């Protein structure tokens, strides 16, 4: 099965994993709708996609603004008359200790990483219902499966995302709708530049751990493979998988090792 002619809305498509997914799916001649806040970056990605597929639109939208999400969902449907795949990928990480992190910063992390994808999904479910088919892909994180230092609000938001979309998988309100949850570990993207710190400001640097993460093209290829196979949950990680195993089967070692992380 290929994604040729499938209408695919990708959030967070202006950089990193979202951009890489757009290019891979454009190479399959999908009809891509690229969304994020930065229109100039979206237009650059669009130009690259249009060298691979004749169909690619940009849809600037702040995923934390309910009105923009409502209007964005309607505009996305209007472009091709349907949505076959929604990829909830937009997200922002965190670099600050819990004790130093303000409630406002935690709220910001919840808005982008949980309320945004939840609102967009809610806005598009009636369309999936009318079509009686579709696919939702959620880029969660290994941080959705265990708590890790310096990411209290990010962990909380990704755990919420995990719970929300697992519920969608268990309720299955639309028989032809599949939901795939992806949990990446560290992937080499620019994500730490925009990471939120304790007072809500941006971290503004590449984390050394991030720089040694899984290459973004490798991650994107695994995501597309998981989408194609309609997997429920896929972990794309290295050491984080070992940590998850420890948390389940040898919790003292998990806490000992995780405490040293950053
Ligand atoms: N990189 C990793 O190690 C890693 C690991 C696990 C999970 N993930 C998840 O993977 C996803 C993509 O991350 P990435 O690594 O590709 O990071 P990235 O390069 O920083 O991309 C994040 C994307 O989200 C968009 N975005 C941020 N805030 C937004 C908002 N309010 N409204 C709409 N779009 C917004 C950004 O675009 P604009 O700034 O233009 O809006 C950007 O396109 C995220 O959900 C992240 O949590 C990443």
């Amino acid at each position: 099965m290929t994604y040729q002619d499938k209408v695919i809305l990708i959030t967070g498509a202006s950089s990193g994993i979202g951009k890489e997914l757009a290019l891979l799916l454009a190479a399959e001649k999908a009809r891509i709708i690229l969304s994020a806040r930065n229109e100039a970056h979206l237009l650059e990605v669009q130009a690259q996609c249009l060298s691979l597929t004749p169909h690619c639109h940009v849809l600037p939208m702040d995923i934390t603004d309910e009105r923009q999400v409502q209007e964005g969902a309607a505009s996305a449907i209007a472009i091709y008359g349907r949505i076959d795949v929604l990829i909830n990928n937009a997200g922002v990480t965190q670099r600050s200790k819990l004790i130093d992190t303000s409630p406002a910063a935690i709220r910001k992390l919840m808005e982008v990483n949980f309320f945004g994808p939840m609102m967009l999904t809610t806005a598009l479910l009636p369309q999936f219902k009318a079509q009686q088919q579709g696919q939702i892909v959620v880029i969660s994180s290994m941080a959705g499966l265990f708590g890790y230092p310096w990411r209290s609000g990010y962990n909380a938001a990704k755990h919420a995302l995990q719970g929300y979309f697992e519920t969608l998988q268990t309720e299955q309100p639309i028989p032809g709708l599949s939901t795939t949850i992806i949990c990446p570990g560290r992937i080499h993207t620019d994500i730490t530049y925009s990471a939120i710190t304790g007072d809500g400001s941006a971290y503004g640097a590449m984390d050394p751990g991030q720089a040694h993460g899984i290459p973004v093209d490798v991650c994107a290829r695994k995501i597309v493979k998981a989408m194609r196979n309609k997997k429920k949950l896929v972990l794309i990680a290295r050491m984080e998988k070992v940590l998850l195993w420890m948390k389940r089967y040898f919790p003292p070692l998990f806490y000992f090792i995780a405490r040293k992380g950053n």
Side-chain angles (χ1 to χ4, degrees):
M1 176 250 178
T2 79
Y3 282 94
Q4 181 168 9
D5 285 327
K6 296 288 183 198
V7 179
I8 306 181
L9 169 58
I10 308 174
T11 69
S14 61
S15 64
I17 296 172
K19 173 183 171 180
E20 209 62 32
L21 285 172
L23 294 172
L24 275 183
L25 294 163
E28 295 193 20
K29 304 272 183 282
R31 296 167 184 241
I32 315 276
I33 305 172
L34 305 167
S35 189
R37 291 165 305 176
N38 190 320
E39 189 169 3
H41 288 171
L42 287 177
L43 289 171
E44 284 170 23
V45 180
Q46 183 193 34
Q48 293 183 48
C49 286
L50 285 174
S51 67
L52 300 164
T53 178
H55 307 287
C56 182
H57 283 72
V58 301
L59 182 67
M61 171 171 75
D62 184 335
I63 197 96
T64 66
D65 181 322
E66 191 164 5
R67 190 183 51 79
Q68 286 191 40
V69 172
Q70 297 287 347
E71 291 175 3
S75 305
I77 294 165
I79 294 173
Y80 296 109
R82 64 178 205 276
I83 298 287
D84 296 308
V85 184
L86 162 64
I87 305 183
N88 279 311
N89 166 73
V92 171
T93 192
Q94 175 189 0
R95 285 299 180 274
S96 56
K97 286 192 171 173
L98 183 150
I99 196 167
D100 300 325
T101 305
S102 68
I106 302 277
R107 196 176 288 276
K108 213 164 154 181
L109 286 153
M110 292 296 291
E111 292 288 350
V112 185
N113 294 301
F114 174 66
F115 287 105
M118 179 277 291
M119 288 193 294
L120 184 57
T121 300
T122 305
L124 286 175
L125 277 175
Q127 177 64 24
F128 286 125
K129 192 163 184 201
Q131 297 171 178
Q132 281 297 301
Q133 61 95 32
Q135 181 168 28
I136 296 177
V137 181
V138 186
I139 311 302
S140 176
S141 171
M142 293 300 288
L145 303 175
F146 55 74
Y148 200 72
W150 292 76
R151 293 158 177 77
S152 52
Y154 183 69
N155 293 330
K158 293 292 189 181
H159 274 70
L161 202 61
Q162 207 76 23
Y164 182 81
F165 284 100
E166 270 178 26
T167 306
L168 182 62
Q169 288 175 328
T170 52
E171 288 185 1
Q172 253 199 321
I174 303 156
L177 178 73
S178 69
T179 302
T180 296
I181 302 175
I182 306 287
C183 292
R186 279 192 171 114
I187 310 298
H188 187 183
T189 69
D190 286 345
I191 193 168
T192 58
Y193 283 97
S194 61
I196 288 173
T197 59
D199 61 4
S201 62
Y203 182 69
M206 170 66 77
D207 214 281
Q210 213 65 41
H212 294 102
I214 293 172
V216 67
D217 57 321
V218 173
C219 173
R221 277 201 298 277
K222 289 187 177 189
I223 293 172
V224 173
K225 186 176 174 200
M227 290 167 59
R228 225 188 291 285
N229 293 321
K230 295 190 165 58
K231 293 281 187 193
K232 289 263 190 288
L233 176 70
V234 171
L235 314 185
I236 302 173
R238 294 174 178 151
M239 273 310 287
E240 300 90 342
K241 279 190 191 172
V242 181
L243 273 179
L244 184 64
W245 181 89
M246 284 177 191
K247 184 188 164 185
R248 247 175 229 158
Y249 299 108
F250 201 52
L253 193 55
F254 166 75
Y255 289 107
F256 178 76
I257 292 175
R259 195 167 294 134
K260 296 174 187 294
N262 64 24

